[in-house]
Every structure is written in structure tokens, then in C-alpha cells.
Amino acid sequence: MRLGTYIVSGLVLMLIVGGAAYLITPASYSLSVLGINIHLPIAVWVLLPMALLYLVTILHMAYHGTRDYLRKRKLLQDTEELKDALYWSLLKEPKEHRYSTPQMREGASLLNVSRLEVTGSIHGLSEKLSKTLEWVREIEGGTYVDLKAKKIERFLSRENPLLIRNQLNRLEQEKGFAEEVLQSKEFYDEAVARKALEILVTREDLYKLKKYIPFLSKEQLFTILDRVDAGEEIGFSQEMLEAFIAPFKLDCRDFMRIARTTHKQFTPDQNLALFKRLAKEQEKAQNAYLYLLFEYEMLDNARQFLEEHDEQEFKSFRAFFILKRGKYHYKIDDLIDIDIACR
């Protein structure tokens, strides 16, 4: 029975009993307690035990009702806390959540350090969780979702895997975003900045890429050379080449790779002048310079270069020079590749 109903019913019952007792015997009765005479109608004496029992039962019901209310309130609070924990775990951004009931703490606390991966369909979720799950699946499927417009992005850390995946999706779908990332690298994860640079290296010309030279890797330098070899017009010139290779510590194989590209792009005089200077500045470029001398059939210059160095150096080129001097019509690429040239 609800407490309010019990209070009303109890009062009505006492009124009926008191009224009936008074009608039956309207007389009074005196009782001496500790020398004090208490003179009351008999109907009142009848009602006193009922009133005492009534009061005690009301207090009893109020106590248990309040305890149940507080228990239910804690359970509701924990339920809301659990929903919030599920929300952040779906977004791969688990946060600290505190639970009032020990039953909830025993299991739900795992969500404080967990990232949920949903592998199947599910029904009966709240609208908030359903929408979140939909966004997560879109992002993981390769679609860019504007989390900023949904007022979520600012709550996600830079290292959040879902945010990183979403930014990578955006890089693939929005052409201008790659440059935006590199202009504000400190706000993006390293994986996003690296992907942005890779995209620019494969799409933009050297004039735009020039300002990102400090961020380039040697592999990306070779990607640029591959684009030049493929015939792309990206502003390749001696000035650009020197600017792009300046930050790197190049080895023999690197200079040989560069020489194979410049051989197709520059005039012989321009190319030889470039590599002659590089060979003087960096010993690792000497093999590439010698390679170009043979490529351009400048045997006298190649002989002079070999005579200026120890006989134990450039053995493969010396062997090729002997063949050329013997009137064998081999091309250098027929016998010497990058691995042989740089031994």
C-alpha cells in the first residue's frame, strides 16, 4: 500500500472506531500515572493504542520507502553514468566514471579504460547511442563525418584512433585539407601529418612542395623523382633539385638514383656540371658523376677521373672502361646497375 493511501485510510478508520466507541459509551475514565490523574473520554482511550500503532507504522513505511527511493535513485544515476561510459567508449575516448552501487562498480568500471568495437547489428539503443554508433561505422567504413559540427571533436584527444581515422578519410576526400594539416601540424597526430605530406608529394608541383622540404623524407624525395620519370610536369629543374636534396645525407645509391632522372631531364653540360660539383663536395656522389661520364660517352674525362683516384676504387667502372677501350659497344646500363656501381 502506498504511504499516502495508508495515512488517509488509517485516519478514516480511527475516526470510525472513535466515533463508534463514543456512541456506545460517552463516559470518561481517569488514570493515575506518576501521581497525575489523566481524565479522558473512553473513546479517546480506545484510540490511543491505535494512534500509537498508526504512528509507528507510518514511520516504518516512511523509513523503508525513503531507503527504496534512495536505492532506486542511485540505480538510475548509475544507469545514466553507464550510458555515458558506453558513449565515450564507442568514441574511443574512455573517461573516468564513478558508480554508487557496488554491483555496477564490479563490471561497469571496465568501460573507464575500454574502447568498444561493435561487430554486429543491435536494437533498442537510446537515440544518442544509436547516432554515435552510426557515425562510428561511417568513419570506420571510410566516410568523413564532420565531428566538429556535431560538437564532438573538441572532446576527443589528438591521439584518438577514431579522430585519426576520420581525419585520414577527410584527407582522401578533401583536396585542400592536406595543406591545412601541414600548416597546423601541432594540432594533428603524426600519422595524419605524415599522410597529408604523402598526399601532397603525389599531387602537388614542386613550387608548392618547396615550403615543406624540412618535413620530407628521403623516400618522398624519390617519389617526386618517380613522378618526374613518369613525365609529370611539376616544375623540376636544377635549382629545385638542389633545394630538395640539400637537407638529406645522401649515399652512393641515392646519387645514382638521382642521376638516372637528371640524365633524362637536363642537358649533358648542365648535368655534368652539377654532378662534378656534387662529387667535389660529397664523396658519395663520385660514382654518379662517373656513371654520367660513361653514359655521355666522355671516355677521356672518365679515364682522367679514374687516374686521379686509387686503383682499388671504382673497380666496376674500371672494368667497363677496359671494355669500352677495347671497342666493345656496351652501354653502361647493360653491365652496371646501382648495386654494382656502389660496391
Side-chain angles (χ1 to χ4, degrees):
M1 180 182 292
R2 301 176 67 176
L3 182 59
T5 304
Y6 179 79
I7 291 174
V8 173
S9 301
L11 287 173
V12 171
L13 177 62
M14 285 192 293
L15 288 173
I16 293 173
V17 172
Y22 184 78
L23 291 174
I24 295 172
T25 174
S28 298
Y29 177 77
S30 294
L31 180 67
S32 180
V33 179
L34 299 176
I36 300 173
N37 288 323
I38 302 174
H39 186 76
L40 294 172
I42 293 175
V44 174
W45 288 110
V46 171
L47 288 176
L48 281 176
M50 289 186 65
L52 180 61
L53 178 62
Y54 175 69
L55 181 61
V56 170
T57 53
I58 288 177
L59 292 174
H60 177 77
M61 293 177 68
Y63 166 75
H64 285 283
T66 302
R67 191 178 66 172
D68 289 344
Y69 168 77
L70 293 176
R71 185 183 298 161
K72 289 179 180 179
R73 184 178 179 184
K74 286 182 178 180
L75 184 60
L76 288 174
Q77 289 174 341
D78 281 356
T79 301
E80 293 302 315
E81 199 77 2
L82 176 62
K83 289 179 182 178
D84 197 54
L86 289 169
Y87 171 75
W88 290 111
S89 292
L90 277 174
L91 290 174
K92 311 297 187 290
E93 192 77 20
K95 298 182 182 296
E96 183 72 19
H97 289 81
R98 299 184 182 278
Y99 301 95
S100 302
T101 58
Q103 296 87 347
M104 194 71 79
R105 282 197 299 270
E106 288 173 358
S109 296
L110 278 173
L111 292 173
N112 294 346
V113 290
S114 302
R115 293 170 177 166
L116 285 179
E117 296 288 343
V118 181
T119 57
S121 59
I122 188 168
H123 305 283
L125 294 176
S126 66
E127 183 179 358
K128 181 179 180 180
L129 289 178
S130 294
K131 286 184 177 180
T132 303
L133 183 58
E134 181 183 347
W135 298 335
V136 170
R137 283 175 169 166
E138 287 179 0
I139 292 171
E140 292 177 344
T143 302
Y144 168 65
V145 176
D146 191 351
L147 296 178
K148 187 175 182 179
K150 299 183 186 303
K151 300 180 181 181
I152 296 175
E153 188 172 275
R154 64 192 179 98
F155 297 107
L156 304 181
S157 63
R158 191 178 71 169
E159 300 79 16
N160 183 289
L162 189 69
L163 178 64
I164 292 173
R165 178 64 183 274
N166 197 43
Q167 290 167 343
L168 292 175
N169 294 344
R170 187 179 179 186
L171 283 171
E172 295 291 344
Q173 297 169 24
E174 293 186 19
K175 185 176 180 181
F177 184 56
E179 196 163 3
E180 180 183 328
V181 168
L182 293 177
Q183 289 174 352
S184 305
K185 282 186 65 177
E186 65 275 13
F187 298 111
Y188 296 92
D189 184 79
E190 182 61 30
V192 178
R194 186 167 56 249
K195 180 65 175 179
L197 189 56
E198 289 174 1
I199 288 174
L200 287 182
V201 164
T202 58
R203 293 179 182 175
E204 301 297 341
D205 59 38
L206 299 187
Y207 302 102
K208 182 167 286 188
L209 288 174
K210 192 173 182 179
K211 59 184 174 182
Y212 302 115
I213 288 176
F215 307 139
L216 292 176
S217 66
K218 192 186 294 186
E219 290 72 21
Q220 289 167 336
L221 171 64
F222 295 146
T223 298
I224 293 172
L225 294 179
D226 289 340
R227 293 178 63 194
V228 175
D229 291 341
E232 289 189 49
E233 295 293 336
I234 57 175
F236 187 71
S237 65
Q238 180 178 337
E239 180 184 357
M240 282 292 187
L241 174 64
E242 293 189 66
F244 274 78
I245 67 174
F248 298 107
K249 185 177 181 180
L250 303 174
D251 59 25
C252 172
R253 295 172 60 85
D254 299 331
F255 282 111
M256 286 291 295
R257 170 67 186 85
I258 294 168
R260 288 181 180 272
T261 296
T262 58
H263 173 256
K264 300 173 184 177
Q265 300 295 322
F266 301 158
T267 65
D269 290 343
Q270 182 186 17
N271 207 14
L272 287 171
L274 169 63
F275 273 88
K276 185 176 183 179
R277 178 167 54 79
L278 291 173
K280 289 181 179 179
E281 296 172 354
Q282 303 182 57
E283 184 180 342
K284 299 294 185 180
Q286 292 177 350
N287 299 63
Y289 174 58
L290 192 52
Y291 163 81
L292 289 173
L293 289 175
F294 281 110
E295 186 67 50
Y296 292 128
E297 298 290 334
M298 301 183 72
L299 298 184
D300 290 339
N301 298 74
R303 176 183 55 78
Q304 181 181 351
F305 182 88
L306 291 171
E307 288 175 352
E308 292 172 353
H309 292 80
D310 189 272
E311 290 186 0
Q312 298 305 312
E313 296 181 282
F314 313 112
K315 288 185 178 181
S316 58
F317 288 103
R318 291 180 188 277
F320 184 75
F321 178 73
I322 293 173
L323 289 174
K324 295 294 289 185
R325 192 173 57 183
K327 306 300 181 182
Y328 290 97
H329 300 291
Y330 290 110
K331 291 184 178 180
I332 191 168
D333 287 335
D334 295 334
L335 301 177
I336 297 179
D337 59 18
I338 290 179
D339 290 328
I340 294 174
C342 293
R343 284 177 185 172

